[in-house]
Amino acid sequence: MQFGEFADIAAEIEELSADTEITEQVTHLFEGATDDLPVLARFVQGRVFPAWASRTLDIGPNYCYEAIARAAGTNVSADDVEDRLAEVGDIGEVAASYDFGGQQGLGAFTGGGASGTGASDGSGTSGANDLTVAEVADELDALAAAEGSGSQDTKIDILFALFNRADAVEARYLARLVLSEMRIGVGEGTVRDAVAGAFDVPVESVERALQVSNDYGEVARVAREEGESGLAELDLEVGRPVQAMLAQAGTVGDALEDWEEVAVEWKYDGARVQIHYDPEGLGWDAADDSADPTRSADAAGGEGRNRDNAREVAIFSRNMEDVTDALPEVVEEVEANLDAPAILDGEVVATEDGDPLPFQEVLRRFRRKHDVARAREEVELDLFAFDCLHAAGDDLLRTPLPERHERLDAIFDAEDGSGESVVSSLHLADDADEIASIETKALDAGHEGIMLKNPDSTYSPGRRGKNWLKRKPDVETLDLVVTGAEWGEGRRASFLGTFLLSARADGDAGDGDASNGEFETLGKVATGITDEELADLTDLLEPHIRKQEGQEVEIAPKVVFEVGYEEIQESPTYSSGYALRFPRFLGVRDDKDPESADSLARVERLADEQ
Ligand code: AMP
């Protein structure tokens, strides 16, 4: 396909707003594709390389401005391009605003195989219109491959030659493609639906193939050439990263309601890593340029992969950037503790003397290209593995979480410096107290909190679904007065265990009432309290007991607790008309007397703001 034809379709798509119309256009684009289908499936999303590839164009915006300026003529400088960009805000529009194609002489300097024969059509408004999509892909490939001293000049030369052959519409989309700013409204879902529509295969099989291969181009090609059965044969490849499963914010209350039993894990505050290991050498090397089977015709079908790769371990960041070289200690740990092919999911945390450091420290390690040995001495990294996508020949994406976790436990037997397993503990819990005590332990160990996972869930790459919840941090805490309690049971029979909490009924409610010393109940807290604290709280509250009936006692309002909670709900159970969802004891406010505890008015305000 001519690049001009692609650019015209992109321009048409950009004008559309309805998803169905956009999908229809992309479907036509795919139907009309030839060998360039894989490239088109990427370009239309604004991607130059497959999603799994670590390769990037590695060209800064300034170099792109330079190339545009050169193609625009001797009287245009990179600064002029940047100024125009500051005015119009879209590099595509800026590129389209120049008259390219008159710089034949300079074309002779182009590198990387670009033809550099930029010919003007005489009108001064467009190039020769002879650029094909495949050629643009090849030139961008050459651009990405340029390395070493002088490589920036080579990159500018290649880009210049492309712009020099582009007309206004081509230039618009070329510039956007190069700077990853395509923005024509075509996302992953559109491409999925268009592949299904163009080649008459079920959307689900395209979706599955995309999840395991992470390669829109390859999936489009296989859908066209081999249909549904071909798609079903695409599998995970050790060495080729897939998108990480993502989490959304959620509450313990929701998790228990939805699943009854919740798989709870510590949430580590670091950076996500996907670890690929094969003791025989990675069959697919995302860091290797020759690894992309859709790049050249003779390599199509995956034959072009470098199968003798010497790398056994590859580590990818959440964006699928190859960070293996920056994390030698993780590589060593993996090599020492795995002995069969595996893909692990986990978090890398920076620590100092065993205590977690802010996650920015990990990112600094990720970015480090030189002097890694020194960086390693400065910031220590600990790996925590929490999932397993592939173990010893078995793809586990469709396997439920607890089973995946068992496989992880079985294959990865690593310990940290203090003898603790580096595999996360997965606790199955069915009550809020148990979950709260896991959270308390996670926080005590310096970690971020907890993750709540659906025990029946499979691994969905790239999905921010409801099966993984990061527990919402508490909203603003409340300082509430203890007005009642219950004696515990069994081992805790001599302690007060469950505490009735109240807010001041008076005060800043805006109803003109002066302080009347009354309190309205709001909930009970029994969670987040250690045995030791229970003994102290009993000593503190027992002298204020006013009345006792069975297990329940009424307590004079003297003591203020600080409590966290997930939500304030309207509820007929308590006299305030509200109830706290998942309340947790955070501490005694020794510094506050009941008159300065929170008022019902504040509770109402917080409930409204939720
Ligand atoms: P957030 O970055 O706030 O969206 O939280 C989700 C992230 O928490 C994941 O992408 C992981 O990087 C990280 N994380 C830490 N511990 C876990 C865990 N046990 N399970 C899943 N994700 C975790």
Side-chain angles (χ1 to χ4, degrees):
M1 183 179 287
Q2 296 298 115
F3 190 70
E5 200 182 327
F6 165 73
D8 286 342
I9 294 175
E12 276 173 45
I13 293 174
E14 195 173 357
E15 292 301 310
L16 301 172
S17 50
D19 287 349
T20 47
E21 286 175 344
I22 295 176
T23 308
E24 223 168 273
Q25 279 291 341
V26 180
T27 307
H28 289 317
L29 175 72
F30 292 170
E31 284 167 346
T34 52
D35 282 352
D36 50 19
L37 174 65
V39 174
L40 284 169
R42 298 197 279 265
F43 278 13
V44 75
Q45 288 182 76
R47 287 178 188 279
V48 176
F49 302 115
W52 54 261
S54 295
R55 200 167 15 146
T56 63
L57 292 177
D58 193 20
I59 182 164
N62 289 338
Y63 294 106
C64 184
Y65 306 155
E66 174 71 32
I68 291 173
R70 265 206 242 166
T74 44
N75 53 350
V76 180
S77 71
D79 285 347
D80 296 334
V81 174
E82 203 171 346
D83 288 347
R84 216 178 261 203
L85 178 61
E87 266 167 50
V88 302
D90 166 18
I91 190 63
E93 201 174 316
V94 173
S97 69
Y98 290 110
D99 292 339
F100 292 141
Q103 312 306 310
Q104 297 96 321
L106 296 174
F109 295 114
T110 56
S115 70
T117 54
S120 170
D121 62 0
S123 68
T125 55
S126 68
N129 278 114
D130 64 349
L131 208 49
T132 65
V133 166
E135 251 180 305
V136 172
D138 285 345
E139 293 301 305
L140 293 181
D141 236 1
L143 190 156
E147 275 183 357
S149 68
S151 64
Q152 289 302 345
D153 288 339
T154 310
K155 286 171 192 266
I156 295 173
D157 286 345
I158 294 174
L159 261 193
F160 156 71
L162 285 173
F163 279 117
N164 203 34
R165 294 171 63 193
D167 69 13
V169 187
E170 290 170 321
R172 174 189 298 270
Y173 295 102
L174 181 61
R176 291 207 196 157
L177 186 62
V178 169
L179 291 182
S180 307
E181 292 176 14
M182 196 59 143
R183 300 201 198 117
I184 57 169
V186 176
E188 299 175 357
T190 316
V191 173
R192 178 199 57 208
D193 294 351
V195 168
F199 309 119
D200 199 19
V201 284
V203 174
E204 301 72 47
S205 64
V206 179
E207 167 97 10
R208 192 206 77 90
L210 286 173
Q211 289 190 341
V212 295
S213 71
N214 203 8
D215 187 338
Y216 294 84
E218 177 70 349
V219 168
R221 187 189 67 77
V222 171
R224 180 174 68 184
E225 285 161 25
E226 298 164 44
E228 189 179 353
S229 61
L231 290 177
E233 276 171 31
L234 287 177
D235 272 327
L236 289 177
E237 292 272 356
V238 180
R240 180 175 66 186
V242 298
Q243 295 187 43
M245 181 162 174
L246 301 173
Q248 55 177 243
T251 64
V252 172
D254 292 338
L256 284 169
E257 251 164 50
D258 289 351
W259 313 322
E260 285 175 17
E261 193 175 50
V262 182
V264 188
E265 270 176 349
W266 288 7
K267 183 172 193 288
Y268 307 100
D269 189 14
R272 189 80 174 261
V273 283
Q274 195 174 93
I275 298 171
H276 291 241
Y277 174 73
D278 190 337
E280 307 285 320
L282 296 172
W284 190 292
D285 191 350
D288 183 344
D289 264 5
S290 65
D292 179 359
T294 64
R295 277 282 146 193
S296 64
D298 55 343
E303 301 306 317
R305 293 188 308 232
N306 181 356
R307 290 220 154 263
D308 315 313
N309 200 284
R311 292 209 309 174
E312 291 177 17
V313 181
I315 308 173
F316 301 98
S317 70
R318 177 171 161 161
N319 303 331
M320 285 170 287
E321 197 188 332
D322 190 323
V323 290
T324 319
D325 292 342
L327 310 177
E329 61 268 65
V330 180
V331 172
E332 286 161 18
E333 188 165 25
V334 166
E335 279 174 344
N337 292 289
L338 278 175
D339 50 24
I343 304 176
L344 311 184
D345 192 0
E347 191 90 347
V348 168
V349 180
T351 55
E352 192 172 47
D353 305 326
D355 293 324
L357 294 171
F359 81 97
Q360 287 86 348
E361 295 292 336
V362 192
L363 295 187
R364 273 182 41 201
R365 281 287 313 266
F366 272 31
R367 284 194 289 267
R368 189 78 168 228
K369 297 247 172 350
H370 308 289
D371 236 350
V372 172
R374 213 178 59 237
R376 178 178 176 173
E377 276 169 28
E378 285 161 9
V379 176
E380 204 179 307
L381 289 184
D382 283 339
L383 167 69
F384 295 97
F386 52 73
D387 216 318
C388 182
L389 283 56
H390 177 99
D394 298 328
D395 282 354
L396 302 174
L397 294 185
R398 306 269 139 178
T399 308
L401 171 66
E403 230 175 286
R404 295 202 306 276
H405 204 272
E406 268 168 35
R407 292 294 296 266
L408 172 62
D409 257 330
I411 60 166
F412 194 49
D413 197 13
E415 291 176 351
D416 64 15
S418 48
E420 297 281 331
S421 170
V422 307
V423 172
S424 71
S425 299
L426 190 77
H427 307 271
L428 291 174
D430 60 8
D431 88 9
D433 278 356
E434 199 180 342
I435 297 177
S437 74
I438 299 168
E439 181 167 41
T440 306
K441 283 195 193 114
L443 295 172
D444 285 351
H447 295 292
E448 206 186 350
I450 49 172
M451 297 288 297
L452 309 165
K453 299 182 178 177
N454 179 355
D456 293 331
S457 62
T458 56
Y459 193 98
S460 336
R463 279 281 176 77
R464 192 181 291 285
K466 282 198 167 148
N467 284 327
W468 283 16
L469 302 177
K470 44 188 172 181
R471 198 186 83 75
K472 266 194 197 156
D474 287 326
V475 227
E476 290 179 54
T477 61
L478 283 170
D479 296 330
L480 298 171
V481 181
V482 181
T483 53
E486 287 168 30
W487 290 105
E489 287 179 359
R491 187 166 62 84
R492 292 179 163 189
S494 58
F495 298 134
L496 291 170
T498 302
F499 303 92
L500 185 64
L501 304 166
S502 297
R504 269 187 308 123
D506 56 280
D508 46 49
D511 55 9
D513 270 3
S515 175
N516 56 12
E518 282 180 17
F519 295 91
E520 301 289 358
T521 58
L522 194 63
K524 291 177 181 171
V525 67
T527 296
I529 314 175
T530 63
D531 280 356
E532 210 174 293
E533 282 170 332
L534 278 183
D536 291 346
L537 292 177
T538 305
D539 288 347
L540 183 68
L541 289 162
E542 211 172 356
H544 306 299
I545 292 180
R546 287 208 284 223
K547 234 186 2 202
Q548 175 150 349
E549 234 172 81
Q551 305 270 98
E552 295 192 13
V553 297
E554 193 184 301
I555 296 180
K558 296 286 180 201
V559 175
V560 179
F561 279 8
E562 182 180 8
V563 264
Y565 56 92
E566 285 183 339
E567 245 174 358
I568 301 172
Q569 291 177 315
E570 289 192 22
S571 159
T573 313
Y574 298 104
S575 67
S576 65
Y578 291 99
L580 298 181
R581 200 161 184 213
F582 196 44
R584 269 149 335 115
F585 171 80
L586 299 175
V588 176
R589 288 298 304 257
D590 297 316
D591 56 329
K592 277 199 169 180
D593 53 28
E595 283 70 42
S596 47
D598 277 313
S599 65
L600 190 52
R602 173 153 194 260
V603 172
E604 278 165 3
R605 209 164 44 237
L606 289 171
D608 281 349
E609 283 168 7
Q610 282 171 161

